[in-house]
Amino acid sequence: MSFSDPNETFRQEARELLEQLELGLLDLEQNPGNDDLVNSTFRALHTIKGSGAMFGFTAVAAFVHEFETAFDQVRKGQSSATPALIAVALDAKDHIHKLIEQPDQTHAGGDAILDALRATIAGTSATAEIPEAPAPEAPAAASQPSAAEGRWRIRFRLPADALVYGTNPLLLLDEIKAIGPCTIKALTDTIPGLDVIDPEVPYLGWQVDLVSADPREAIDDVFLFLKDGMELSVEPLLDEPGQVAATPVSAPAIAAPEAAAQRPEPAMPAPAQAAPVHAKAKPTKTAEPDGASGSDRPASSSMRVDAERLDELMDRVGELVIAQARLTQIANMSSDGNLKTIAEELERLSSGLRDTTMGIRMVPIGTLFSRFRRLVHDLSRDLGKEIEFITTGEDTELDKTMIERLADPLVHLIRNSVDHGLESADKRLAAGKPAQGTVRLSAVYAGAEVAISVTDDGAGLNAERIRAKAEEAGLLAPDAKIADQDLWQMIFAPGFSTAKEVTSLSGRGVGMDVVKRTIDGLRGSIDVATTPGQGSSMTLRLPLTLAIIDGMLVRVGNGRFTIPLAAVEECVELPEGIEANARGRNFLDIRGSLVPFLRLREVFGTTAPADPHQKVVIVSSGEGRVGLVVDQIIGNNQTVIKQLSKLHSSIKSFSGATILGDGTVALILDTSHLVAFGQGYVDQGRAA
């Protein structure tokens, strides 16, 4: 049996917590008075600190402890969450990420960030004073509790394995000191002799006399990750010195019943498991919103699985689908009824397994969208532009492989919209627009595709400047006529940029080239729409999956091809009397709509005799439709997509290949390319 690295498990948990922390801080900037956001942000910090100490990331635990101590002033209402504070807190979050990902390296700047955090909080504090160090130990008699405060005695002994897992008792005591004035006493009654002592066992117990209003909830937070295995009691001290209440409060019941019903219980990092990729289920929540009852919380409905294991499972399912297709073909050629029954049953099971496996790979695109809020926040600050960032369609699901490869293209598109698209506040006001610009990121299902759009309300694309740059680069002849849509596609050419100067953000003409290459590699397309003075929209159209699809198998001459079934609208018979080369009249009347059609025999250069009764398969991509003329429609099948080699990357009519039941290979048609090609093919015929 193999065991995963517990440090990697912590890192993955921490990445999710840091993402939650970042989103919480960004939400808090928009709604600084929301106590739920403050509490959820504070819980994320507390969980990172506790789990960091548990897994031996002491530098992380120490830094987050100081971060948490400073940010606690916001939690207590003694300071407000200003944009300046959020900016420093985001820098602190980035520093925590460095400490976690590169624990063996020295990362400077942590003290400066904490100093800036304390100074920023002090500047917004009603008292203008932040406690920078825990209160020193002092005799209990020196602390005079106010009428609203009381005296409490806390006794605790850590679990036997606490030191092994990196728990530092001194950090726990520092947290208790931060609650209020206290005296601390070590309990040494259980320390054995030196001949039998184990340095990894925490023999010391601790007694803390604390002055505080009601510290039970705060104490519960301090020992959040240790409660189940430790001895802990919290006892109120009566007015007479030395007199203690008779009934101690045990560890599982530290908080009052009312508080326990309202306080969330942040999830501990899972035991050493695989590196994460979310299987499709409800995403694991690290912390519940205030008011969620622990007893009412449903059991975890998700688990972590290695990405490699998911890919391997998908490969196995693909091989099973191919084997099932071969068995079905053999059964159809046989007269054995039992064999046909088994083949039908296996087909049903493999189809269900395929759908389930595909569902596991599907991930809500909101997991990707949330990353860009920080990007827009930083761009807004760096460029001095006030920007509203709106996302919709976060529940739209896409194959995890697509999600991973879409991050860079969307970064380039959003940066381009913010830097080039949105005007400065002065120019917007002069044009009658609000000073605040808007960038929208949306996702929606569009048939067999997912359409992801980045839209801004800026100045729009400048056709004259794009054309001039294209002519200068030799991409377009000076007197050439070109449609607007084709002109907009020029911006995706390598090295193309209309920026007048190179900045740290743009101007070198490499970003949009990356976008185009990546989307082409995903068998997708890019639509560009713009209105001068009103803004632009870039829409990425992508297939739902790259693994297994339902396909329609057709024959053209002696070759067999697969058309993605989700792109097929209908099939009709090619009317008799249509000339083989109609030159601009390659249209069919489909219920009152003219649809151009392509004879695939001509496109592929097939020389075999044509069938007398040819069929037309109507396919769509986005808003376009085209008819594909084939010799025969063989039937539907489950298609396992195999990527073509780099030697075939220039062949745009095919998106991949699949293995048929008889072991032969059928190429998979790229319907989006054929739809675009069909329109151009008809235009060429008209011009001839």
Side-chain angles (χ1 to χ4, degrees):
M1 176 181 289
S2 61
F3 296 92
S4 60
D5 182 5
N7 288 341
E8 183 57 34
T9 301
F10 163 71
R11 286 191 183 95
Q12 182 54 39
E13 291 284 350
R15 291 182 194 117
E16 293 188 358
L17 287 167
L18 287 175
E19 182 178 350
Q20 174 188 334
L21 174 62
E22 182 175 279
L23 295 178
L25 290 171
L26 293 173
D27 286 337
L28 196 58
E29 184 177 27
Q30 302 298 322
N31 191 3
N34 191 315
D35 291 339
D36 289 341
L37 290 175
V38 174
N39 290 331
S40 65
T41 302
F42 194 83
R43 284 196 297 269
L45 283 173
H46 195 77
T47 307
I48 293 172
K49 180 184 69 175
S51 55
M54 178 182 298
F55 284 91
F57 287 74
T58 54
V60 174
F63 181 84
V64 177
H65 174 69
E66 296 298 328
F67 185 0
E68 182 185 48
T69 300
F71 201 80
D72 191 42
Q73 303 301 309
V74 179
R75 186 191 190 196
K76 294 176 179 177
Q78 299 173 1
S79 182
S80 58
T82 63
L85 173 61
I86 297 300
V88 179
L90 289 172
D91 290 339
K93 173 261 174 187
D94 293 340
H95 186 74
I96 296 170
H97 182 267
K98 294 177 183 177
L99 294 175
I100 293 172
E101 298 297 334
Q102 301 170 335
D104 298 330
Q105 298 184 17
T106 301
H107 300 284
D111 291 340
I113 291 174
L114 291 175
D115 290 341
L117 185 65
R118 296 188 189 102
T120 306
I121 288 180
T124 61
S125 174
T127 60
E129 186 174 338
I130 302 296
E132 298 190 8
E137 296 182 19
S143 299
Q144 299 297 328
S146 66
E149 293 178 329
R151 298 170 57 242
W152 301 79
R153 174 162 293 170
I154 300 112
R155 289 191 180 97
F156 67 91
R157 293 184 185 275
L158 298 177
D161 58 355
L163 299 182
V164 175
Y165 285 105
T167 300
N168 188 341
L170 298 182
L171 291 178
L172 299 176
L173 292 172
D174 285 343
E175 291 188 52
I176 296 177
K177 291 178 186 178
I179 298 174
C182 61
T183 58
I184 300 175
K185 175 182 178 182
L187 305 178
T188 60
D189 54 308
T190 59
I191 299 179
L194 290 177
D195 55 336
V196 296
I197 197 169
D198 185 346
E200 294 184 341
V201 175
Y203 296 107
L204 280 176
W206 302 91
Q207 174 180 299
V208 182
D209 289 344
L210 175 69
V211 177
S212 178
D214 186 349
R216 288 177 292 188
E217 185 172 351
I219 295 298
D220 191 29
D221 287 342
V222 171
F223 298 106
L224 182 65
F225 298 99
L226 301 166
K227 289 188 301 180
D228 293 339
M230 70 180 296
E231 298 178 15
L232 174 64
S233 65
V234 181
E235 305 168 344
L237 291 174
L238 300 183
D239 291 337
E240 292 185 23
Q243 189 174 2
V244 180
T247 306
V249 182
S250 62
I254 296 175
E258 298 82 357
Q262 297 179 358
R263 187 176 61 253
E265 183 177 342
M268 286 182 61
Q273 299 254 345
V277 162
H278 283 293
K280 185 189 176 187
K282 294 180 179 179
T284 305
K285 294 183 179 178
T286 304
E288 299 280 345
D290 287 347
S293 172
S295 60
D296 296 335
R297 190 187 309 112
S300 176
S301 57
S302 67
M303 63 177 295
R304 297 184 180 278
V305 182
D306 275 335
E308 291 79 7
R309 291 189 179 184
L310 277 182
D311 293 336
E312 183 179 355
L313 175 61
M314 197 72 250
D315 291 341
R316 295 289 183 269
V317 172
E319 297 299 326
L320 175 62
V321 169
I322 293 173
Q324 172 266 316
R326 295 183 63 185
L327 177 61
T328 299
Q329 184 168 347
I330 294 173
N332 291 336
M333 298 170 58
S334 172
S335 59
D336 189 338
N338 291 330
L339 179 61
K340 292 184 178 182
T341 301
I342 293 174
E344 291 174 358
E345 181 67 12
L346 182 60
E347 181 177 2
R348 182 183 66 82
L349 293 174
S350 65
S351 177
L353 180 60
R354 180 205 64 172
D355 293 340
T356 301
T357 307
M358 292 300 301
I360 292 175
R361 291 173 59 96
M362 302 301 280
V363 179
I365 204 168
T367 60
L368 178 64
F369 281 9
S370 60
R371 305 180 193 178
F372 303 123
R373 294 184 59 196
R374 175 69 182 281
L375 172 66
V376 175
H377 175 274
D378 292 347
L379 289 174
S380 175
R381 178 189 60 193
D382 295 341
L383 296 173
K385 296 180 179 180
E386 189 177 353
I387 304 169
E388 181 182 14
F389 183 56
I390 302 174
T391 61
T392 57
E394 291 92 337
D395 294 335
T396 305
E397 293 186 334
L398 201 59
D399 189 285
K400 73 171 188 67
T401 306
M402 307 279 248
I403 295 287
E404 294 165 358
R405 296 174 63 181
L406 276 175
D408 284 346
L410 288 176
V411 165
H412 287 301
L413 291 177
I414 292 173
R415 287 166 67 103
N416 199 63
S417 291
V418 173
D419 191 18
H420 293 300
L422 296 180
E423 314 95 326
S424 64
D426 293 341
K427 291 183 179 179
R428 292 181 63 85
L429 291 173
K433 297 181 180 180
Q436 183 184 59
T438 301
V439 175
R440 298 178 183 272
L441 179 60
S442 63
V444 64
Y445 291 114
E449 302 171 327
V450 169
I452 304 171
S453 299
V454 178
T455 305
D456 64 71
D457 65 347
L461 297 179
N462 189 319
E464 294 182 0
R465 187 181 298 176
I466 293 174
R467 184 181 182 94
K469 185 65 178 180
E471 293 176 357
E472 178 185 339
L475 300 174
L476 188 64
D479 57 348
K481 294 183 179 180
I482 186 172
D484 287 345
Q485 282 298 325
D486 295 330
L487 182 63
W488 306 145
Q489 293 296 321
M490 293 288 181
I491 65 178
F492 299 106
F496 191 96
S497 175
T498 59
K500 296 181 180 179
E501 60 182 14
V502 176
T503 68
S504 60
L505 294 177
S506 60
R508 300 189 183 275
V510 294
M512 303 303 280
D513 179 29
V514 171
V515 173
K516 181 65 174 174
R517 289 203 312 269
T518 303
I519 300 307
D520 286 345
L522 294 173
R523 305 197 330 268
S525 61
I526 307 176
D527 296 339
V528 181
T530 184
T531 302
Q534 297 184 22
S536 302
S537 177
M538 306 281 180
T539 301
L540 311 180
R541 298 189 180 275
L542 300 160
L544 289 174
T545 180
L546 297 175
I548 299 178
I549 60 173
D550 286 322
M552 173 180 287
L553 189 63
V554 300
R555 181 176 59 82
V556 179
N558 296 325
R560 288 183 290 179
F561 304 89
T562 295
I563 303 173
L565 192 60
V568 176
E569 291 190 354
E570 59 183 306
C571 300
V572 297
E573 189 165 335
L574 183 66
E576 296 182 1
I578 293 184
E579 300 177 15
N581 188 358
R583 287 195 176 274
R585 297 186 296 275
N586 292 349
F587 287 93
L588 291 176
D589 185 355
I590 305 296
R591 284 179 297 281
S593 298
L594 291 179
V595 179
F597 67 87
L598 293 174
R599 296 179 185 270
L600 293 184
R601 298 176 56 82
E602 297 176 4
V603 176
F604 300 152
T606 302
T607 58
D611 281 21
H613 302 289
Q614 293 182 306
K615 306 296 187 293
V616 183
V617 182
I618 308 297
V619 298
S620 63
S621 175
E623 300 297 327
R625 293 196 300 170
V626 71
L628 304 178
V629 180
V630 302
D631 289 325
Q632 180 187 3
I633 297 175
I634 299 174
N636 299 341
N637 63 346
Q638 294 183 43
T639 300
V640 180
I641 300 175
K642 303 292 185 181
Q643 297 297 319
L644 298 177
S645 69
K646 293 183 179 179
L647 293 175
H648 302 89
S649 60
S650 60
I651 304 176
K652 302 298 184 181
S653 298
F654 309 110
S655 59
T658 187
I659 301 175
L660 301 178
D662 58 3
T664 60
V665 175
L667 294 172
I668 302 171
L669 300 183
D670 188 334
T671 53
S672 61
H673 174 78
L674 288 173
V675 168
F677 178 74
Q679 185 61 53
Y681 187 73
V682 172
D683 292 342
Q684 291 176 10
R686 287 174 174 170

